[in-house]
Amino acid sequence: MAADEPGALELFVSIGLSESKARETLRNQALSALLREAIVQAQEILGSAADKTVGTLLYNVASRLKDPKHLGFLVEYIATKKIVTDLQLNAALEYVKSHPVEPIDAADFARECGVGVIVTPEQIEEAVEASISKHRAQLLSERYRFNMGLLMGEARSKLKWADGKIIKNEVDLQVLHLLGPKTEADLEKKSKAPKARATEPDKKGKGAVVENETKSLMEQLRGEALKFHKPGENYKTEGYVVTPNTMNLLKQHLEITGGQVRTRFPPEPNGILHIGHAKAINFNFGFAKANGGICFLRYDDTNPEKEEEKYFTAIRDIVEWLGYTPYAVTHASDYFDQLYTWAVDLIRRGHAYVCHQKVEEIKGHNPPPSPWRDRPVEESLLLFEVLPFHGEATLRMKLVMEDGKMDPVAYRIKYTPHHRTGDKWCIYPTYDYTHCLCDSIENITHSLCTKEFQARRSSYFWLCNALDVYCPVQWEYGRLNLLYTVVSKRKIIRLVDSGAVRDWDDPRLFTLTALRRRGFPAEAINNFCARVGVTVAQCTMEPHMLEACVREVLNEQAPRVMAVLEPLCVTIVNFPAPHKVKIDVPNFPADETKGFHKVPFQPTIYIEQSDFREVPEKGYKRLAPGQPVGLRHTGYVIAIQSIIKDTNGRVKELEVTCTKSEAAEKPKAFIHWVSNPLVCEVRQYERLFLHKNPEDPAEVPQGFLSDVNPNSLSVIEEALVDRSVCGAKPFTKFQFERLGYFSVDPDSTGAKLVFNRTVTLKEDPGKV
């Protein structure tokens, strides 16, 4: 190791590093080894010790070079003073990164990196003088408040290889000559212009605003926003392995794709998609869409023991519900024949072997090495052919993964018929083997996955290169999690089995089918993903952030109707003739151009029990003795005439008089009501769990099932709603005025509608 070699510290100090910097470098074994090699090579060329200028460049190349095979090439240019500035070195490093296959075209390299280009002081002086002359009037007006960076930028654009420090010094000198020394006025701090305040949201909708400046998902994913490689330039990605055949394979890949971005969404069809998958769907389909590409929906159907047809259907349904159409729907099983052929080839190349260790033996991160790792190729080939008859046998790949796991399994035995291939196979490929090869077959350009798969990136590259096939690039992003929920398939099954929820689409869950059933619009979920952003770090969000997006969309889309959840009968004793009338109620009171619906208005109406107080508390503004209220949309104000109670003393009916609004004093409040209504069922939901992290033993020692909120569902079986909703189809959404947003549940029948409360009108941190 470089740190243990005698004289290494002195060697590093000899090129101009401070002793502390040299010691810091020695702690990085890879860097110190590469730097020592660079210094030795430079000394052989120079015949003497390197000076500080050369030493600085040698340190920079050693610390920034991604592929050490180009070290000697670059050191020669530095030692012979063909590369003398950081600017040239930056260009050189970028050039070798973009041209990974040797030999490098020396003439093209020299041209692109400014080799041999000499910029004289006179050239710099002339360029700066021309720029100052161009902006002379503005300079004289603004003096030292002028943006001097503009002058330097214009000079640099004319003299690409000029030293930036020299340009700055020349700008400072010529500006001083023009303007003279700074005066007291020049030294005064410039007052900052007040920031323009963001438009205040309407008070009624303040809970709907999360971030005013959030870019759309398409803006976040378009072009250079993510700094992803361009199709065909996979080799520019850090960590990408370049083989002698890489450039040829990339050329073939571009001929097939035409340089088009290709992504894929690869779910396992063994459960329902959840809110975290919404981010994955938006990222994969959105990135392709934003960049003029295509996205495959590929089912990772390699484990027939857990896969069911209902999951295949539900997954595609959700993808399309979110607004995306797959370029093609494929299955890993489409490629089973090719995958098997490649497995045989992998064995022939000496990269895989048949192993007889039991599953229990190879689980975890530190299993014992396989005693069959070095068995002869011919023996593994023969055994792989008859693998179905070997019980515990597996095919394992010879590699060490980034997390230290050794020799991951490529094939295992499962005596289970496959939903698509039937009994043709009883050995099935694993994710580690299948995923990258299916990406290769489909010529995926960007294999986007969550951070937990980062440990598999090296095996992804290794396997494609071991088989000498096109190798896509795996990119990882942060997973999206929500508090107060669980999304694990295994744990949702336990919730269903225990009776805590009805099924995968129970509206208290955060599966996408559950959110749709609850009434969350697809647009709101997509907006939420955009606001979370395409982050590298894992993010955990509060449910109210998602709710805010839901309110924002439903405020624009859900027509208003009136419903009463806890009815109190009210009789208008002086109801104006005729006794049966219908009034026009706007679908969107704030925008009457969106139409109206008719509502019966008769002598008997129903109001919320909470909108009446026989003895009102201080500040109560709704109906009470001596305190009239207005009836929304009617143009009438009602006042109590008498209160009728049952034998238990509970108020069961009110008798009131009505007065035209223009003839009455303006009431303190207006309340909603229904007349001749439909009886419906309303389901109201609270958070399913009591704690933020129900899976955390520190918060919930008894396990997540013990944390289920016993009051997470309340059902009102005889709520009342105005007749305009009659015939509404499942998933139709409404705003029940003053109550919240509600969606028609699929349990509805022709005889009785069932509504799910989607969200309240205003944010309530205590509710989901």
Side-chain angles (χ1 to χ4, degrees):
M1 292 186 294
D4 299 327
E5 293 178 5
L9 181 64
E10 291 78 7
L11 184 65
F12 292 171
V13 170
S14 73
I15 65 168
L17 295 187
S18 65
E19 186 172 332
S20 62
K21 185 66 175 178
R23 291 187 184 280
E24 180 187 330
T25 302
L26 285 170
R27 286 196 289 270
N28 185 328
Q29 294 180 11
L31 172 58
S32 56
L34 201 61
L35 179 57
R36 187 181 189 285
E37 184 180 347
I39 296 171
V40 170
Q41 289 181 12
Q43 287 177 342
E44 289 175 357
I45 295 170
L46 292 167
S48 61
D51 60 32
K52 186 172 182 179
T53 301
V54 170
T56 300
L57 292 171
L58 292 176
Y59 180 83
N60 287 342
V61 78
S63 61
R64 293 161 57 194
L65 184 63
K66 302 300 182 186
D67 189 349
K69 73 182 179 183
H70 295 302
L71 181 67
F73 177 82
L74 294 175
V75 166
E76 181 180 353
Y77 274 82
I78 292 169
T80 57
K81 303 294 179 72
K82 293 178 181 177
I83 289 178
V84 294
T85 67
D86 256 342
L87 200 62
Q88 290 174 318
L89 182 58
N90 292 341
L93 289 168
E94 184 60 32
Y95 188 92
V96 296
K97 181 180 177 182
S98 302
H99 297 76
V101 178
E102 295 181 323
I104 289 176
D105 185 330
D108 188 53
F109 174 83
R111 183 169 53 255
E112 292 296 320
C113 302
V115 172
V117 176
I118 298 174
V119 181
T120 66
E122 291 75 20
Q123 288 175 304
I124 294 175
E125 183 181 348
E126 289 175 6
V128 172
E129 189 177 329
S131 185
I132 286 180
S133 177
K134 177 181 174 183
H135 300 284
R136 182 183 178 86
Q138 191 176 354
L139 265 165
L140 291 171
S141 171
E142 298 181 11
R143 291 182 58 78
Y144 287 97
R145 288 191 174 88
F146 182 83
N147 179 14
M148 303 302 172
L150 180 62
L151 304 178
M152 291 185 280
E154 289 184 354
R156 171 60 64 80
S157 67
K158 295 176 182 177
L159 303 170
K160 180 179 178 181
W161 303 110
D163 188 303
K165 291 180 181 177
I166 298 176
I167 290 179
K168 183 182 184 304
N169 290 338
E170 184 63 30
V171 167
D172 290 345
L173 185 64
Q174 292 197 31
V175 168
L176 179 62
H177 180 72
L178 175 66
L179 303 179
K182 289 184 179 180
T183 64
E184 288 187 13
D186 293 325
L187 294 171
E188 286 180 7
K189 287 186 177 180
K190 186 178 180 181
S191 59
K192 292 183 178 179
K195 289 184 178 179
R197 290 185 64 183
T199 304
E200 288 289 332
D202 181 76
K203 288 184 179 179
K204 293 182 180 178
K206 63 183 177 182
V209 180
V210 180
E211 274 183 52
N212 290 332
E213 300 302 324
T214 302
K215 291 183 178 179
S216 74
L217 187 68
M218 292 300 107
E219 288 175 316
Q220 294 181 55
L221 297 176
R222 190 169 290 121
E224 297 296 319
L226 293 173
K227 307 302 179 187
F228 284 170
H229 69 282
K230 295 179 181 177
E233 295 184 355
N234 304 27
Y235 53 84
K236 290 188 176 182
T237 305
E238 186 173 348
Y240 189 82
V241 180
V242 177
T243 70
N245 198 30
T246 292
M247 301 309 286
N248 182 48
L249 290 169
L250 289 174
K251 181 180 178 182
Q252 295 173 16
H253 159 74
L254 286 174
E255 288 173 354
I256 294 169
T257 66
Q260 186 180 47
V261 166
R262 288 190 172 201
T263 61
R264 79 292 166 274
F265 174 58
E268 297 176 79
N270 58 6
I272 299 297
L273 302 180
H274 55 71
I275 187 65
H277 289 113
K279 180 177 179 180
I281 292 169
N282 272 280
F283 196 7
N284 279 283
F285 282 92
F287 178 66
K289 183 178 180 180
N291 295 281
I294 58 176
C295 183
F296 293 77
L297 169 59
R298 184 205 309 144
Y299 295 109
D300 181 20
D301 57 341
T302 56
N303 189 356
E305 292 175 346
K306 297 182 179 180
E307 294 157 6
E308 295 182 43
E309 185 59 37
K310 67 177 181 180
Y311 297 135
F312 288 86
T313 304
I315 288 169
R316 182 167 185 176
D317 186 34
I318 287 295
V319 168
E320 293 178 349
W321 174 64
L322 288 176
Y324 296 108
T325 302
Y327 168 74
V329 177
T330 61
H331 304 73
S333 57
D334 295 340
Y335 312 120
F336 276 179
D337 289 326
Q338 179 62 69
L339 294 173
Y340 181 85
T341 300
W342 275 336
V344 173
D345 190 24
L346 201 64
I347 298 171
R348 286 201 180 101
R349 291 170 182 257
H351 296 313
Y353 62 96
V354 172
C355 176
H356 300 285
Q357 285 178 295
K358 294 183 178 180
V359 174
E360 294 74 22
E361 292 181 71
I362 60 177
K363 276 186 176 179
H365 287 286
N366 294 300
S370 171
W372 290 280
R373 195 174 200 269
D374 297 319
R375 77 188 324 160
V377 168
E378 293 75 15
E379 189 176 315
S380 281
L381 284 171
L382 179 62
L383 289 170
F384 188 56
E385 189 176 340
V386 294
L387 193 61
F389 309 106
H390 283 270
E392 295 285 343
T394 58
L395 181 69
R396 296 176 68 182
M397 299 176 281
K398 292 184 180 179
L399 79 146
V400 179
M401 301 175 74
E402 288 180 42
D403 60 359
K405 184 178 179 183
M406 189 172 182
D407 294 358
V409 172
Y411 270 86
R412 74 280 204 214
I413 300 168
K414 289 186 180 292
Y415 299 111
T416 304
H418 192 275
H419 73 106
R420 299 185 73 243
T421 61
D423 294 325
K424 180 177 179 180
W425 303 95
C426 58
I427 59 170
Y428 292 97
T430 61
Y431 175 91
D432 287 324
Y433 178 78
T434 307
H435 187 66
C436 61
L437 296 180
C438 288
D439 282 353
S440 179
I441 291 169
E442 293 176 352
N443 276 284
I444 300 303
T445 58
H446 300 77
S447 182
L448 309 174
C449 56
T450 48
K451 289 288 283 186
E452 61 261 38
F453 293 101
Q454 186 169 350
R456 290 177 159 114
R457 191 199 300 177
S458 60
S459 66
Y460 185 107
F461 292 157
W462 176 89
L463 183 52
C464 289
N465 290 327
L467 289 168
D468 199 23
V469 297
Y470 162 69
C471 183
V473 177
Q474 176 175 303
W475 289 95
E476 302 90 13
Y477 59 90
R479 180 174 177 163
L480 170 61
N481 297 315
L482 278 186
L483 297 172
Y484 296 100
T485 190
V486 298
V487 294
S488 158
K489 298 166 187 174
R490 179 175 55 85
K491 290 178 179 175
I492 291 177
I493 288 172
R494 290 183 64 189
L495 286 169
V496 174
D497 291 344
S498 69
V501 297
R502 287 174 38 170
D503 207 338
W504 289 81
D505 65 347
D506 187 297
R508 289 166 289 179
L509 294 172
F510 280 85
T511 62
L512 293 177
T513 51
L515 295 179
R516 178 171 63 171
R517 181 168 188 170
R518 184 162 168 173
F520 282 34
E523 182 183 344
I525 294 173
N526 292 343
N527 291 347
F528 175 63
C529 292
R531 291 182 180 185
V532 169
V534 184
T535 55
V536 175
Q538 178 171 295
C539 54
T540 301
M541 310 297 291
E542 291 273 2
H544 70 78
M545 298 286 286
L546 174 57
E547 286 184 348
C549 295
V550 172
R551 290 189 187 93
E552 191 175 68
V553 172
L554 291 182
N555 184 50
E556 298 294 325
Q557 296 181 358
R560 279 53 167 166
V561 298
M562 291 188 289
V564 173
L565 304 188
E566 296 179 321
L568 174 61
C569 182
V570 176
T571 300
I572 303 173
V573 295
N574 65 334
F575 192 85
H579 280 219
K580 289 187 178 182
V581 298
K582 286 190 175 182
I583 60 174
D584 289 326
V585 176
N587 296 326
F588 294 86
D591 184 1
E592 295 188 356
T593 63
K594 292 184 176 181
F596 294 80
H597 59 275
K598 290 189 178 297
V599 172
F601 181 40
Q602 299 178 7
T604 299
I605 64 172
Y606 299 87
I607 66 171
E608 293 285 353
Q609 292 178 19
S610 60
D611 282 340
F612 165 74
R613 289 285 187 276
E614 186 174 7
V615 181
E617 61 269 23
K618 185 179 179 181
Y620 187 79
K621 296 181 180 181
R622 286 160 282 166
L623 187 61
Q627 182 169 285
V629 294
L631 292 180
R632 288 178 65 79
H633 309 298
T634 63
Y636 284 95
V637 174
I638 59 172
I640 292 176
Q641 179 172 291
S642 61
I643 301 172
I644 302 171
K645 300 182 179 181
D646 61 17
T647 54
N648 295 318
R650 296 175 59 183
V651 176
K652 69 173 185 178
E653 184 180 350
L654 301 175
E655 290 184 343
V656 301
T657 57
C658 69
T659 307
K660 282 277 190 180
S661 297
E662 55 267 26
E665 185 179 338
K666 184 178 180 179
K668 293 182 179 180
F670 287 81
I671 62 174
H672 65 278
W673 53 275
V674 291
S675 183
N676 189 24
L678 296 175
V679 177
C680 66
E681 179 180 311
V682 171
R683 299 169 182 173
Q684 299 184 104
Y685 302 98
E686 307 285 348
R687 285 176 176 162
L688 181 59
F689 295 101
L690 299 171
H691 291 82
K692 284 188 174 184
N693 300 291
E695 298 171 277
D696 186 351
E699 282 191 46
V700 188
Q702 301 302 316
F704 74 99
L705 286 178
S706 70
D707 197 47
V708 171
N709 179 4
N711 301 313
S712 60
L713 169 64
S714 63
V715 179
I716 302 171
E717 295 186 351
E718 294 190 344
L720 305 177
V721 62
D722 78 49
R723 289 188 170 273
S724 67
V725 304
C726 184
K729 304 297 182 185
F731 306 115
T732 304
K733 299 161 186 62
F734 300 95
Q735 183 196 101
F736 288 179
E737 292 197 36
R738 299 178 61 230
L739 297 177
Y741 294 100
F742 293 77
S743 178
V744 180
D745 189 86
D747 286 346
S748 298
T749 66
K752 190 175 186 180
L753 288 172
V754 178
F755 289 93
N756 294 315
R757 186 177 67 188
T758 305
V759 287
T760 55
L761 288 179
K762 295 182 179 180
E763 178 185 319
D764 183 346
K767 296 179 181 178
V768 174

